[in-house]
Amino acid sequence: MIHELLIVVAVAAVLVILWRQHRVSFVDELGIKGKLIWIDEGHHTKPFFNGAFKVFGKPDALYRTRAGVVAVEYKSRNGPVFDSDVTQAFCAALAARGEGYRVTQVLIKTSAVQQSFKLPTSDKVLFDRIQPAVFNARQAKFGYAVPSRPEIKKCRSCGFRGNCDHSA
């Protein structure tokens, strides 16, 4: 009887150890060693908001890792990561930080490439990086003209190219 009980306890202990190792060492298709903790499920998913800097944003996914939280931004195009992608991802990370997620890194993935960016620990420093784009977005929202920097490679994949004076 005691022998059987010891076997059951040993098997249970091994199963707990294996489960913990699997959970901690999970690596997804992006190479992120962590656990998926949040995903954008579309238009009905509420964006994050950072009240200190008045910015909204939604990363496509958040993963908890040992180093903090990784925010992921997927782009469906087969091309490079643009500066505007980085700005969008940084803004989403700052917004998520405003709601308690300790985002330390962003990963941007297109069909062709994947780039990772370590974020500054200071929210102010992160905001200073995206502040010019935030200013332009706010100006555009209120109907003011903002600078544009069209490029043929970006215009070809833009959803607004039919309504734009700059489309190539």
Side-chain angles (χ1 to χ4, degrees):
M1 175 77 164
I2 292 177
H3 181 53
E4 292 169 347
L5 182 60
L6 288 174
I7 291 174
V8 169
V9 170
V11 168
V14 168
L15 289 174
V16 168
I17 290 168
L18 289 174
W19 176 79
R20 287 180 129 195
Q21 286 178 341
H22 179 266
R23 185 178 54 114
V24 171
S25 66
F26 172 74
V27 178
D28 80 339
E29 73 277 0
L30 298 171
I32 297 172
K33 191 173 183 179
K35 180 181 177 192
L36 179 65
I37 58 171
W38 186 89
I39 192 160
D40 179 4
E41 295 178 345
H43 294 293
H44 66 277
T45 303
K46 181 181 153 205
F48 295 119
F49 178 67
N50 187 310
F53 298 98
K54 309 276 190 279
V55 295
F56 286 94
K58 280 194 306 186
D60 291 319
L62 294 175
Y63 288 83
R64 183 167 318 283
T65 69
R66 289 181 185 224
V69 175
V70 177
V72 178
E73 187 64 41
Y74 292 101
K75 298 297 177 186
S76 60
R77 70 175 166 275
N78 186 21
V81 171
F82 296 125
D83 287 340
S84 58
D85 301 330
V86 176
T87 299
Q88 178 188 0
F90 283 15
C91 189
L94 183 60
R97 281 183 177 183
E99 298 209 16
Y101 292 95
R102 196 178 64 115
V103 182
T104 58
Q105 179 181 351
V106 297
L107 185 140
I108 304 169
K109 176 160 180 41
T110 71
S111 295
V113 297
Q114 175 174 311
Q115 276 187 285
S116 207
F117 301 86
K118 186 172 175 161
L119 298 178
T121 55
S122 162
D123 288 357
K124 171 78 170 93
V125 172
L126 180 55
F127 179 74
D128 288 346
R129 164 65 173 78
I130 62 171
Q131 191 277 332
V134 171
F135 176 79
N136 283 340
R138 290 175 180 161
Q139 292 293 98
K141 179 180 177 181
F142 292 112
Y144 297 104
V146 296
S148 65
R149 297 181 306 269
E151 300 173 37
I152 286 179
K153 62 184 176 181
K154 287 182 80 173
C155 291
R156 284 186 187 137
S157 63
C158 179
F160 299 100
R161 68 182 173 273
N163 300 331
C164 181
D165 296 334
H166 298 290
S167 62

